[in-house]
Amino acid sequence: MTGPQKHPITRRTLLASGAAGALAAGLLPRSASSAFAVPPNEDGYDLWLRYHLVADSNLLSRYRDAFTHIVVQGNHVVLRSAGAELARGLSGLLGRSIPVRDQIGKSAVVVGTKVDNTLGPEGFTIKRRTDRVEITGAGERGALYGAFRFLQQLQRQRPLERLDLTDRPASPLRMLNHWDNLNRSIERGYAGKSIFVWDELPGLRERYVDYARLLASVGINHTVINNVNASAEFLRSERLPGLAALAGVLRSWGVRLWLSANYAAPITLTADQPSPITVADPLDTRVQQWWQDKIDEIYRLIPDFGGFLVKANSEGQPGPLDYGRTHAEGANMLADRLAAYDGKLVWRSFVHEGFDDWAEYEYRVFHPLDGQFHANAVVQTKNGPIDFQVREPVNPLFGGLPRTNQMIELQVTQEYTGHSTHLCYLVPEWKSILGFQTHTGTGSGPTVADIVTGLAYDQENVGMAGVVNLGDDRDWTGYQLGAANTHGFARLAWNPKLSADEIVTDWIELTFGGDRQVVSVLKAIMLRSWSTYESYTSPLGMGYLTYPLGSHFAPAPTTTQNLSHHTTAEGTGFDRTAATGSGFTGLYAEHWQDIYGSLANCPDELLLFMHWVPYTHRLRSGKTMIQHIYDSHFDGYERVVEFRRAWGRLAGRVDQARYADIAATFDAHVIEAERWRDTIVSYFYGFSRIVPTGTGWLQLAYPSGQLLFGGRANSLAVEVTNASSSERSITAAVHPVDSGWQVGAASATVGAGAAATVALPVTPPLIADHFELAIDIAPAQMALSSRNQTFVVTPDAAQCHLALDIGTADSPLVTGYARVSPSTTWDTTRGYGWVGTAPQGRDRGSTWDALRRDFCGDYPARTLRITLPPGPVRLSALVGDGGPDCPPTIIAEGNKVLATSTDLPGGIFTWLHADLDGGPTGRTADLILDSEPDRFWHLGALVLT
Ligand code: GCU
């Protein structure tokens, strides 16, 4: 976990306590006196490309005898890369320099190509002869893949007798999709900023080579380097030489560069010309000529340019439908122009507009277009009909487009599966999707894998795309175990028949070495992590229980009523049947219509996706649906606790740095799993009021809109609900954050199934901050939501020099705070207000307290003038957005930056602080509020203490 933290509030405490906590708990190795040597520290940068000295000394000497030099047969740049990688890898593994030579001598490792029709264009063989090893590709790329695979065999300490191997990829298009923006932010990225420093190009960084190596090492041959929500700027002529330089690095490692194209680029990029193009209609001849010229220009600079990826007419993106044309017409216009250069056009079917049931959009739009896309056009379809939920049925478009080239889009970055905090190894999920029998062809086939490998309909332009999790964090993926998904995606794209067990074993051995216990413990954790995540976040296929507009991290089931569930006091789920519901089940082949459409046949794991059922409905396990929801959330949480414990047992077997990093991630994971469990269980108990079997629990709820004032006594209202079948008497108090907090207790007796509200006295110090508060309950018992509730503490206005509640003209005010809205212009007597153009105001509504619900903000910089009192004074400013994600806010005075926030997910707030000086008599300060270029800054409150 390097680089900026995406959840400053939820993770701060952990980062302080994670590794230290592990040490205190006796989990970290203390000294070198343990039975085995603790491996040297690593930071994760090398991923699975670690070429450490072979530990087994017998094997090492056999390897040393067998591999003394490398010979590259041919001068192709990709072959030279293969030679360089072999030299690097063998030198590291054998602990001595293994040179590249011109002549083949005894014990050579020879890499080259030989035409072999059985291997396809990218396959390879590794063959051990009496006096040498031959790594032979059917083409250069195959030779490179063979070199990497050979090294991986040695990393895994395979005996010399077992090195022979023949392999070839199943799909031709094995592609990464980066959702990287021009400002280097990454949409749904949790590993820092983009690897690519656009404005520095054509200047190149060493890391680009390592990026290309990591792709090639697992057989990725295409990469789309920018976000599907594409800025047209990527196509601007001035940018292309820089991108060509990057393409050159990729080319040496057999990877073709692609761009996401904004469909309205002809409009945007001619806006400043004497006669600008004002439409993006694919049938308009000026538009066509513009694209023709652009494509010619690109191929002059990047002769092996892969093509364009397009998101059109979805979530506000422009597209052919704006001009009354179809997706196929829109795609073909570009495909035809790329065809001349052997380029391809990938068109996404993720259109997210228009129907009542989101699950149906894509099929209804794309199925009628089957057969209309040209030969080098490919439709890229997300695995499920919604949006990368932890469990979704397979998208009915698979099998629904037999006359269209299709790629599957999987999400490697964990947008809906826990970001870089929850471990969620996705290969088991992807396996189940790829193995899905569509029943649209003969027999039960084809499977999704058959379709995307070209077997089903004998197609060539097919494959797999992964929305990738890479960023510029030192460990690439934001947490040490995240790279397992990157690796797993690539391995499956290469061969969808590999088992999850094989793939994860491969990854663990390459990443952590072959220690048996490490492999078996970590493997068991990882293979259970997807179903575990599912069990505490998404009951029975429901999905989408996070706030739809935000970061998709924390639970918010109230916000997705109608979108993913129709929860009432009687039951929950979504009736998507053809008989009585939205009709979605009717989009499948008859076999699946019968299964999904019938309550009796529908598999439990998709029950609430397909049906609305009463809480008392019996599942196959014999449990009622509601009892299952309760139990799976408690069990899932317990499994995460067990993951953390199991990892603890590996202390000393993994280097201390990565050990502690992973331990800290598990600490955070446990907290977030608890948050999910408590929120979802409370939510469904709140509706159903069905007391669980067993001992039950208490659940705590906090009326929304509560603020805590620093430096003043508060009464925090907490509603205590007794979800058990016996009366309970309790005493509750806020757990003090530190000695500066004063707290008092309150008691209540709550009947079985009843609720009572207690008012907890609490006085925080005079501060502006955020806290995750815990409530202590006596006698001790299971109390949901008793921990980790985030509260904002804002200073008592009477004790501030200035206390401003910034937002709109009519939203409620924080007690004692003065209003600043866009119309509050500077006024000397008042001592605050905007100078120059005023910003905009926004109000996110009453689910938030008076402080957080509204803010002022804008794209351009604006100036807020305030009067400072004499002497030193502390400025605190609240930044965040209760709706969408919030870009960085920069607060400056003159040229001096006082404070900057990071990108904040929607619903996450932070206080920025700066020390100012009013001098001997006080003065005015012009605070400049700004963000990164073209991004929206936010300011919700400002206080001087
Ligand atoms: C999701 C995701 C967006 C993304 C979109 C897409 O909606 O939250 O960030 O742009 O999918 O795949 O186009």
Side-chain angles (χ1 to χ4, degrees):
M1 282 168 297
T2 44
Q5 290 305 320
K6 290 288 190 161
H7 299 283
I9 296 134
T10 54
R11 297 197 70 171
R12 179 181 47 196
T13 34
L14 293 162
L15 291 171
S17 75
L23 185 57
L27 299 179
L28 285 191
R30 280 158 201 284
S31 70
S33 66
S34 50
F36 40 86
V38 179
N41 278 340
E42 294 182 45
D43 58 14
Y45 183 82
D46 290 337
L47 297 165
W48 52 86
L49 296 160
R50 296 158 63 258
Y51 302 128
H52 291 199
L53 185 68
V54 170
D56 175 336
S57 55
N58 285 333
L59 189 64
L60 176 62
S61 70
R62 292 197 72 202
Y63 281 176
R64 281 177 169 170
D65 289 345
F67 319 123
T68 59
H69 61 287
I70 297 148
V71 177
V72 181
Q73 291 186 316
N75 197 29
H76 193 282
V77 62
V78 172
L79 287 177
R80 290 205 304 272
S81 297
E85 190 70 22
L86 286 168
R88 174 188 193 136
L90 285 172
S91 301
L93 288 158
L94 307 190
R96 52 169 63 166
S97 159
I98 306 293
V100 179
R101 294 213 180 110
D102 292 337
Q103 300 294 325
I104 302 178
K106 188 176 169 308
S107 302
V109 177
V110 184
V111 61
T113 57
K114 192 169 118 197
V115 178
D116 181 344
N117 293 333
T118 64
L119 290 180
E122 297 177 296
F124 62 84
T125 58
I126 300 172
K127 186 113 195 88
R128 211 169 142 249
R129 313 258 177 214
T130 27
D131 60 344
R132 68 173 86 155
V133 171
E134 289 173 0
I135 302 170
T136 315
E140 290 79 16
R141 219 183 265 151
L144 177 64
Y145 298 150
F148 274 110
R149 193 70 72 75
F150 170 70
L151 290 170
Q152 287 158 12
Q153 304 262 76
L154 305 196
Q155 283 172 268
R156 298 179 70 184
Q157 309 205 37
R158 291 288 177 263
L160 284 174
E161 295 68 30
R162 283 178 46 203
L163 294 181
D164 283 12
L165 181 72
T166 298
D167 203 1
R168 54 179 289 179
S171 322
L173 297 171
R174 305 177 302 280
M175 180 185 278
L176 299 188
N177 287 182
H178 286 265
W179 285 359
D180 294 16
N181 299 314
L182 210 50
N183 61 18
R184 297 186 62 220
S185 65
I186 305 180
E187 184 152 342
R188 312 308 177 182
Y190 314 105
K193 285 186 175 296
S194 173
I195 296 166
F196 311 113
V197 190
W198 311 113
D199 292 342
E200 218 177 73
L201 292 169
L204 296 172
R205 296 195 165 196
E206 192 55 35
R207 190 155 186 168
Y208 302 158
V209 176
D210 290 332
Y211 165 77
R213 288 175 57 234
L214 98 83
L215 267 53
S217 72
V218 280
I220 296 291
N221 57 358
H222 295 271
T223 185
V224 188
I225 55 173
N226 62 315
N227 192 355
V228 287
N229 295 318
S231 162
E233 293 301 316
F234 279 93
L235 297 175
R236 200 179 276 284
S237 300
E238 290 75 4
R239 295 241 164 230
L240 296 178
L243 298 176
L246 186 57
V249 176
L250 300 177
R251 184 179 306 126
S252 347
W253 295 86
V255 179
R256 287 174 79 166
L257 178 137
W258 292 58
L259 290 172
S260 292
N262 181 301
Y263 209 75
I267 303 177
T268 315
L269 297 183
T270 63
D272 54 0
Q273 289 175 9
S275 59
I277 300 176
T278 53
V279 293
D281 181 351
L283 301 195
D284 180 290
T285 48
R286 269 194 86 194
V287 171
Q288 294 177 351
Q289 191 57 48
W290 187 90
W291 282 109
Q292 186 64 56
D293 294 344
K294 185 53 72 183
I295 288 167
D296 293 343
E297 183 187 5
I298 293 175
Y299 278 95
R300 266 196 305 277
L301 293 161
I302 312 176
D304 63 343
F305 179 66
F308 294 132
L309 169 65
V310 181
K311 168 175 176 175
N313 293 111
S314 174
E315 300 185 331
Q317 293 299 320
L321 275 58
D322 302 343
Y323 306 95
R325 316 296 179 197
T326 68
H327 282 280
E329 286 172 311
N332 292 337
M333 183 273 288
L334 291 174
D336 293 350
R337 288 171 175 73
L338 289 160
Y341 295 100
D342 186 33
K344 301 183 202 327
L345 189 272
V346 176
W347 194 264
R348 296 176 87 226
S349 67
F350 178 74
V351 289
H352 181 192
E353 343 240 306
F355 296 87
D356 284 343
D357 174 9
W358 178 350
E360 293 182 62
Y361 301 177
E362 301 178 20
Y363 190 93
R364 301 247 186 248
V365 174
F366 276 83
H367 176 68
L369 301 176
D370 188 31
Q372 295 181 23
F373 289 90
H374 291 174
N376 65 328
V378 187
V379 169
Q380 179 171 305
T381 298
K382 287 188 183 183
N383 60 274
I386 302 283
D387 193 15
F388 303 130
Q389 301 308 298
V390 64
R391 168 87 62 179
E392 288 184 38
V394 166
N395 199 318
L397 270 181
F398 292 106
L401 295 176
R403 292 180 298 144
T404 305
N405 299 313
Q406 232 181 333
M407 281 173 76
I408 188 168
E409 179 177 317
L410 300 172
Q411 199 180 40
V412 184
T413 192
Q414 293 173 236
E415 173 180 354
Y416 293 97
T417 49
H419 296 190
S420 52
T421 300
H422 299 244
L423 167 65
C424 188
Y425 183 57
L426 294 163
V427 169
E429 182 203 355
W430 298 333
K431 282 291 296 176
S432 71
I433 293 157
L434 291 165
F436 178 78
Q437 304 272 7
T438 61
H439 286 264
T440 51
T442 44
S444 57
T447 62
V448 173
D450 293 338
I451 295 168
V452 301
T453 56
L455 281 178
Y457 314 120
D458 195 22
Q459 289 160 328
E460 270 170 26
N461 292 324
V462 290
M464 286 172 53
V467 180
V468 80
N469 55 351
L470 301 173
D472 76 343
D473 272 8
R474 188 69 195 159
D475 63 15
W476 298 87
T477 59
Y479 76 113
Q480 297 288 346
L481 303 178
N485 284 327
T486 329
H487 169 270
F489 162 77
R491 296 297 289 133
L492 278 182
W494 179 277
N495 180 3
K497 294 209 170 86
L498 293 172
S499 71
D501 191 302
E502 280 172 280
I503 296 174
V504 78
T505 307
D506 189 25
W507 180 78
I508 296 170
E509 289 186 2
L510 296 174
T511 304
F512 293 103
D515 182 305
R516 280 262 186 70
Q517 200 175 333
V518 174
V519 176
S520 78
V521 169
L522 194 51
K523 183 158 95 174
I525 293 176
M526 294 187 73
L527 290 179
R528 291 171 78 202
S529 61
W530 168 56
S531 61
T532 299
Y533 184 82
E534 177 184 21
S535 67
Y536 63 81
T537 60
S538 174
L540 303 165
M542 178 175 282
Y544 229 123
L545 293 171
T546 59
Y547 181 60
L549 289 182
S551 65
H552 302 154
F553 181 74
T558 50
T559 64
T560 56
Q561 274 272 14
N562 300 328
L563 172 76
S564 69
H565 60 102
H566 299 107
T567 301
T568 69
E570 284 73 42
T572 187
F574 196 131
D575 185 354
R576 290 193 164 98
T577 62
T580 55
S582 73
F584 171 75
T585 60
L587 306 181
Y588 288 89
E590 219 172 286
H591 169 87
W592 289 112
Q593 290 184 20
D594 293 346
I595 290 179
Y596 293 151
S598 125
L599 195 51
N601 297 338
C602 184
D604 282 346
E605 72 268 14
L606 287 172
L607 182 71
L608 300 180
F609 192 94
M610 304 292 181
H611 296 270
W612 187 96
V613 292
Y615 292 115
T616 49
H617 172 82
R618 294 254 165 222
L619 304 180
R620 292 192 167 73
S621 62
K623 279 185 191 173
T624 61
M625 180 263 275
I626 189 69
Q627 188 65 35
H628 171 90
I629 291 181
Y630 298 152
D631 291 350
S632 61
H633 284 78
F634 283 98
D635 293 349
Y637 168 77
E638 284 307 326
R639 261 187 273 158
V640 179
V641 173
E642 175 49 36
F643 291 167
R644 176 170 65 176
R645 205 177 298 132
W647 179 254
R649 291 197 290 272
L650 299 181
R653 292 180 175 273
V654 171
D655 61 281
Q656 184 155 332
R658 284 189 300 168
Y659 173 82
D661 200 345
I662 293 170
T665 307
F666 277 125
D667 286 345
H669 188 170
V670 167
I671 289 182
E672 296 305 325
E674 181 180 302
R675 192 190 308 281
W676 270 95
R677 177 197 72 186
D678 292 4
T679 309
I680 304 300
V681 168
S682 303
Y683 179 76
F684 285 108
Y685 177 77
F687 271 94
S688 71
R689 292 277 159 180
I690 296 180
V691 173
T693 56
T695 46
W697 58 80
L698 297 177
Q699 55 191 52
L700 310 186
Y702 308 83
S704 68
Q706 293 196 88
L707 276 173
L708 290 177
F709 288 97
R712 199 176 91 184
N714 300 267
S715 166
L716 179 66
V718 179
E719 190 192 38
V720 183
T721 302
N722 178 1
S724 82
S725 45
S726 52
E727 182 181 273
R728 300 206 184 173
S729 294
I730 54 118
T731 300
V734 172
H735 188 83
V737 172
D738 58 42
S739 56
W741 288 60
Q742 291 161 26
V743 304
S747 300
T749 297
V750 200
T757 298
V758 287
L760 308 184
V762 51
T763 308
L766 184 69
I767 43 170
D769 209 338
H770 257 92
F771 290 96
E772 301 226 310
L773 295 182
I775 307 290
D776 294 331
I777 302 277
Q781 56 199 287
M782 172 63 75
L784 306 186
S785 305
S786 62
R787 299 209 291 158
N788 315 323
Q789 298 298 320
T790 303
F791 285 91
V792 63
V793 180
T794 195
D796 174 24
Q799 300 173 62
C800 297
H801 298 291
L802 185 66
L804 303 178
D805 180 352
I806 299 173
T808 61
D810 47 13
S811 66
L813 274 186
V814 178
T815 318
Y817 278 52
R819 183 188 302 281
V820 172
S821 73
S823 58
T824 312
T825 46
W826 163 253
D827 174 308
T828 324
T829 33
R830 205 165 48 201
Y832 56 84
W834 303 106
V835 290
T837 311
Q840 308 176 38
R842 297 263 195 287
D843 183 358
R844 299 293 183 212
S846 60
T847 49
W848 293 100
D849 52 67
L851 193 68
R852 286 181 289 181
R853 63 181 283 168
D854 63 333
F855 57 86
C856 283
D858 218 329
Y859 293 98
R862 303 291 182 220
T863 303
L864 180 68
R865 181 172 295 163
I866 55 172
T867 305
L868 301 183
V873 66
R874 164 151 270 224
L875 175 145
S876 302
L878 183 76
V879 176
D881 192 328
D885 296 351
C886 175
T889 292
I890 302 162
I891 306 179
E893 191 185 6
N895 290 330
K896 187 176 172 220
V897 173
L898 300 176
T900 308
S901 61
T902 53
D903 277 281
L904 296 170
I908 300 287
F909 292 78
T910 191
W911 281 100
L912 302 178
H913 303 283
D915 290 318
L916 298 175
D917 202 317
T921 54
R923 63 181 177 92
T924 59
D926 279 352
L927 302 177
I928 302 163
L929 284 319
D930 202 355
S931 183
E932 293 169 351
D934 297 326
R935 304 188 79 197
F936 203 94
W937 57 267
H938 292 63
L939 186 65
L942 190 141
V943 290
L944 293 177
T945 49

